[in-house]
Amino acid sequence: MTPTQLAPRFFIAVAVILIFCKAVAWLLGRVGQPAVVSEMLAGVLLGPSLLGLVLPEVKDALFPAALLPVLYVVGQVGLVLFMFQAGYAFSAHRVTGLVGTAGLVSLAGVTAPLVLGVALVLVTADAVPMRADGTSIGVSAAFVGVALAITAFPMLARIITERGHAGTRHGTLSLASGALDDMVAWIMLAVVLAFASGRAGPAVVTAGGAVLFALLLWLFGRRVTTALMTSPGLNDAARVLGTVALLFLVAWYTDEIGLYAVFGAFAVGVVMPRTDNTDRVVDTLTPVAATVFLPLFFTYSGLRTEFGLLGSPPVLLFAVACVTAAIVGKFGACWAAARFRGESQGVALRVGALMNARGLMQLIALNVGLEAGIVNASLFTVLVLVALVTTMMTTPLLSWIERREARRGDDVRPRTLATVK
C-alpha cells in the first residue's frame, strides 16, 4: 500500500481503537480494572481472536498488514512521552534506604520465574509443540524463562499513578525494582537472541551500551537538562522542542543498543530538574500522548494473537502451567524477598502484586522473539495469555490486600517514604 492509501486506513483504525478502548475501559472499570488493562485487551479483541473470527473481512479492512508498523511507530511516541512523565514523577521521591531491598526484590523476581520457565519447557519439550522450526530446545527454554522474568514496567508505573500510589513506600520500591528487573531481563534477552543467531555481538552491544549510557547520564544528564529548563533565553515552546528532541535522541540510542526506548525516556525524566518550567513541559506533553498515542501500542500485539490455538489440550495445559509458574515465580519470590528485607506484610504483598504484572514489556519481548523466528504462533499466544492474566489480576490483588488490612483493623492508607523509617 502507498502512503496515500495508508493514511485514511490509519485514521479510521485509530478512531476504532480509541472508541473501542474507551468502551472496554468503561466495562472493566465497573469491576475496578485500570484503563491500561482495557487498552491491552482491546487489541486482542480487535485481532484474529474475536473480530477476525467473527468478521474476518472487517478485521482485514480495518487493520491491513501494512498498517501494523505504522501503529507500532506512532504508539512508540506515546510510550516514550508517558515514560518520561513516569521518570519525572519517580524523581520526586527519595529512594535512600530502598536500594538494597529493591536489588534483592529484583534479583528474586528475575531468578525464580527464569528458573521455573526454563524447567517447564525442558520438562514438556516432547509433549507440547512450542518450538519454532530450527530453534533449539535450549533457546526456547531460555526465551520462555526470560519472558516470565520480565515485569511490565510501564504498566506498573501507570497502575501506580492511576491508583494514587506514587510516593508510597510500596509504589517507589516497585518502580525501583521493576526498572532494574527489566534492564536485567532485556540484557538476558539480548544474550538469548545472540545464542539463537550464533553471534555474540548483540549481547556485547547491549551490555556495553548500557554501561556507557549510565556513565553519560551520571556525568552530563543533570547538567544538560538543567541548562534546558533554566536558560533565560528559552521560552516554553523552545523547552518543549528541546525536551522532545532530547527524548527521541536518547530513545533512539537505547533502542539501538537493545534496551528499548522506554528506559531512555524514563532516565531522561529522572534527571530532569524539578522546576516550574519542567512542570509545564511535562503537563504539555503528557495528556495527548497518554490518551491518544499510547493505546495504539497496547493494541498492537493483540492484533497478532490467536487464542484459537489454545483449543489444543497440550497447548492449553502448557498455558495453565506457564501462568502458574509466572505467578509463583514473580509474585511469590518478590513478596518473600521484601519480607526477608524487613518490609511489612502489606508492603510486601503490594510489591509482589505490582511486580507480577507483565503486560507491555512481555508483549515487546514476544514481538522481538517472533520477528527473530524463535517464537511460533502457539508460544506467542500462550505468553500473551500470561501477560493478560498477570496484569488483570494486579488490581483485584491490590484491592484484596486493602480489604484484608481493613478487616484486621490495620491502617490501609498508602504509606509514604516520609512515614516509614
Side-chain angles (χ1 to χ4, degrees):
M1 298 179 69
T2 66
T4 303
Q5 293 171 321
L6 273 175
R9 298 293 186 95
F10 171 76
F11 292 133
I12 188 62
V14 171
V16 170
I17 289 172
L18 295 181
I19 293 171
F20 192 68
C21 281
K22 189 66 175 178
V24 176
W26 179 81
L27 288 173
L28 293 184
R30 297 176 70 86
V31 293
Q33 288 288 352
V36 63
V37 173
S38 63
E39 291 164 0
M40 184 170 65
L41 184 60
V44 173
L45 298 178
L46 288 171
S49 297
L50 181 64
L51 184 60
L53 188 65
V54 178
L55 298 170
E57 297 84 1
V58 175
K59 182 259 179 186
D60 291 339
L62 280 174
F63 308 110
L67 184 64
L68 296 185
V70 180
L71 293 177
Y72 175 86
V73 171
V74 177
Q76 286 273 306
V77 175
L79 187 61
V80 164
L81 295 178
F82 173 78
M83 289 310 299
F84 164 67
Q85 185 272 336
Y88 184 60
F90 176 77
S91 68
H93 311 297
R94 296 179 60 190
V95 295
T96 303
L98 292 181
V99 175
T101 302
L104 185 62
V105 169
S106 177
L107 177 64
V110 169
T111 304
L114 176 67
V115 171
L116 290 175
V118 169
L120 179 60
V121 174
L122 294 179
V123 169
T124 62
D126 296 329
V128 185
M130 287 292 126
R131 273 190 292 165
D133 294 337
T135 302
S136 70
I137 182 63
V139 169
S140 292
F143 182 85
V144 171
V146 171
L148 297 190
I150 287 174
T151 288
F153 180 58
M155 279 194 171
L156 181 153
R158 192 166 179 183
I159 289 172
I160 288 173
T161 301
E162 289 180 352
R163 289 182 67 92
H165 291 176
T168 63
R169 188 172 183 83
H170 65 268
T172 304
L173 178 57
S174 298
L175 282 172
S177 302
L180 182 58
D181 186 314
D182 275 355
M183 184 168 292
V184 172
W186 277 96
I187 292 173
M188 291 194 300
L189 180 60
V191 173
V192 173
L193 293 173
F195 275 108
S197 66
R199 295 179 292 113
V204 174
V205 169
T206 299
V211 172
L212 177 61
F213 178 62
L215 182 62
L216 291 174
L217 201 68
W218 180 60
L219 291 175
F220 304 110
R222 180 70 70 174
R223 298 178 187 178
V224 171
T225 55
T226 299
L228 179 62
M229 290 297 116
T230 60
S231 175
L234 298 177
N235 57 23
D236 284 349
R239 292 189 183 95
V240 169
L241 179 62
T243 300
V244 171
L246 178 63
L247 271 175
F248 286 8
L249 179 63
V250 173
W252 163 79
Y253 174 77
T254 49
D255 249 342
E256 285 293 306
I257 65 172
L259 274 183
Y260 198 62
V262 294
F263 294 107
F266 183 83
V268 173
V270 169
V271 300
M272 292 294 286
R274 303 202 63 82
T275 67
D276 291 340
N277 290 335
T278 314
D279 289 341
R280 287 196 297 273
V281 169
V282 172
D283 291 342
T284 299
L285 293 175
T286 303
V288 174
T291 304
V292 178
F293 294 146
L294 193 57
L296 304 185
F297 190 88
F298 283 96
T299 60
Y300 170 77
S301 293
L303 294 172
R304 308 173 75 181
T305 304
E306 291 187 69
F307 279 141
L309 297 172
L310 298 178
S312 167
V315 174
L316 182 59
L317 289 174
F318 181 84
V320 172
C322 215
V323 170
T324 303
I327 295 171
V328 172
K330 183 70 76 170
F331 176 85
C334 291
W335 166 81
R339 289 292 285 162
F340 179 80
R341 288 287 298 181
E343 299 295 336
S344 68
Q345 182 76 294
V347 168
L349 286 172
R350 287 180 174 91
V351 168
L354 288 164
M355 292 288 287
N356 188 51
R358 288 172 177 81
L360 175 62
M361 298 308 283
Q362 186 169 333
L363 295 183
I364 296 167
L366 294 183
N367 282 286
V368 170
L370 193 63
E371 296 298 331
I374 62 175
V375 174
N376 62 17
S378 296
L379 183 57
F380 185 87
T381 299
V382 166
L383 293 177
V384 167
L385 180 66
V386 171
L388 280 169
V389 171
T390 56
T391 306
M392 292 184 71
M393 66 185 288
T394 301
T395 296
L397 264 177
L398 292 173
S399 298
W400 172 79
I401 294 166
E402 292 172 358
R403 291 195 301 270
R404 173 181 176 274
E405 292 182 346
R407 287 195 301 269
R408 293 163 59 98
D410 296 341
D411 184 0
V412 299
R413 293 172 298 174
R415 304 175 74 197
T416 65
L417 292 176
T419 63
V420 183
K421 294 182 180 180

